[in-house]
Amino acid sequence: MAEMKPPRGSGSPRRTPPRAAHPLLPMLLAAPLFDAGSERRPLTPRERQKLANAATRLQLPAGHVIYREGDPAESVFINGGGVIVSYKELPSGQRRVAGFRFYADLFGLAEHGSYVNTTRAVTAVTVFRIPAATIVEILRHDAELHIQFLCKVVDGLREAQRKSIIVARRDAAGRVAMFIDLLRHLGDRKPLPSRIELPMTRADIGSYLNLTAESVSRACRRLSERGILAFDGEGARIVNRRRFEDLVAAL
Amino acid sequence: MAEMKPPRGSGSPRRTPPRAAHPLLPMLLAAPLFDAGSERRPLTPRERQKLANAATRLQLPAGHVIYREGDPAESVFINGGGVIVSYKELPSGQRRVAGFRFYADLFGLAEHGSYVNTTRAVTAVTVFRIPAATIVEILRHDAELHIQFLCKVVDGLREAQRKSIIVARRDAAGRVAMFIDLLRHLGDRKPLPSRIELPMTRADIGSYLNLTAESVSRACRRLSERGILAFDGEGARIVNRRRFEDLVAAL
DNA sequence: CGAATGATTGAATAGCATCAAGGACCGTGG
DNA sequence: CCACGGTCCTTGATGCTATTCAATCATTCG
């Protein structure tokens, strides 16, 4: 009765290759604060070069832990390609995924000198590491870049609030659909893709959505059965856009 | 069997008076980004004066809507005293409370020139309104204040993440306890208070915690029955600190 | 006093978590 | 080449807990 469902099993770290627009220079993309209508303004080549001069470029394999919660925060990071997961380890040993960081995302902002989350590479990634003291000095002397930085942090705040909205739904299928829609809108792709990569595990997705991996699995199956999404090896394809968007908007 | 529970009913907007440290000047309090050990540095009198010169001071009654989601974002705001709730209206008519803003909190940051949430005064409040163009100009020319601003935004990001952790709990009583603990730690009060004001409605608390007002009510009753908290008119008192902290830490 | 708002309580339902088991895939080592 | 262990995904049966629907009570305001 169940249609052919391509199981996903994979015994090891993921290996989706990162794809970066301009692999050698760090990039930030953030929505502007006050200028209505204006599109995301990317960093200028000069600004990127200024960051690059202060940054160390790292290539890390999937599974690599970039920093741990509580470590002294000596650097901030910019994702140069690939997917990174940010999470908290709870006393019970459980993980709570705070979010995923994609290309041009900023992460590693500290509180009182320590990192608040642990971050781990989901796929192979490129990251730019910038010493904290250096970035403060750069921002102090470059008001324009400072504002871009501020915009990016505000972006992070919006994402956290969007997450709250998603998690507030009670139906697991709706949460998964909204999660996929969230990923779909990342990076400002002009034609919204109909296929979305899901390199993270079901457990990671579930931890982000406040669901168990089992519930995520069941939700995916229901979405398949309803003809809304199709799940293949490491991604999902939107089968019926109408119903998908209706489900996402159904709040 | 149920012990005397002072019901809370109140037919109208709340009227808890705001208490501000220095009512005439705007204030921001934010944890520093990288300096380990250093306490929250408040704004200097000069910085406060600079903001005050650009700000309009407003006194608003409880229930007053400060701005609505989607309005053109012409100003940013600093809470000068009182409690403000920030929420989103969903198509279904439901509300999702994003958070509460207290003294020295910053709010009204836009995305693409529009406000993303609606904010409403829970109690009578004092707010400082600063035109967007002005604040950008100030930050552009005052790197130190700009960094304070950035710290405050990062603070907001942390709060949103803490909310995610709270909401991830399954038991309603635990969520309510963590919510009360969150409020307890606001403002950096030296001796943590054993009584916490709850000027917002059960529905608002529930919306913040992803619970119905009924569930909040039941959770409060259970916390009473277990001798952990006592609820009076518009607040809660910690009866057994040990068990309260155990419950809050139980993750 | 009557209307409105908010809080509380009760009973039935719906939905996810839990526990348990099985299967698919990958890398490794004999 | 193939068997093995590990990781991840899937599926099933059961129990628990918040939601829902409904009713009641308290308080404030006109």
Side-chain angles (χ1 to χ4, degrees), chain B residues 5 8 10-11 170 202 214 217-218 221:
Chain B
K5 39 198 143 24
R8 180 121 157 305
S10 58
R170 238 81 76 15
R202 295 286 189 262
E214 293 95 323
S217 191
R218 279 185 257 266
R221 190 162 66 79

Side-chain angles (χ1 to χ4, degrees), chain B residues 132-145:
Chain B
T134 309
I135 192 72
V136 168
E137 220 39 47
I138 289 174
L139 298 185
R140 208 186 287 282
H141 292 95
D142 187 335
E144 207 52 50
L145 192 53

Side-chain angles (χ1 to χ4, degrees), chain A residues 3-19:
Chain A
E3 59 268 40
M4 269 213 337
K5 37 195 144 22
R8 180 122 156 305
S10 59
S12 291
R14 314 301 169 148
R15 61 238 161 314
T16 306
R19 52 203 155 68

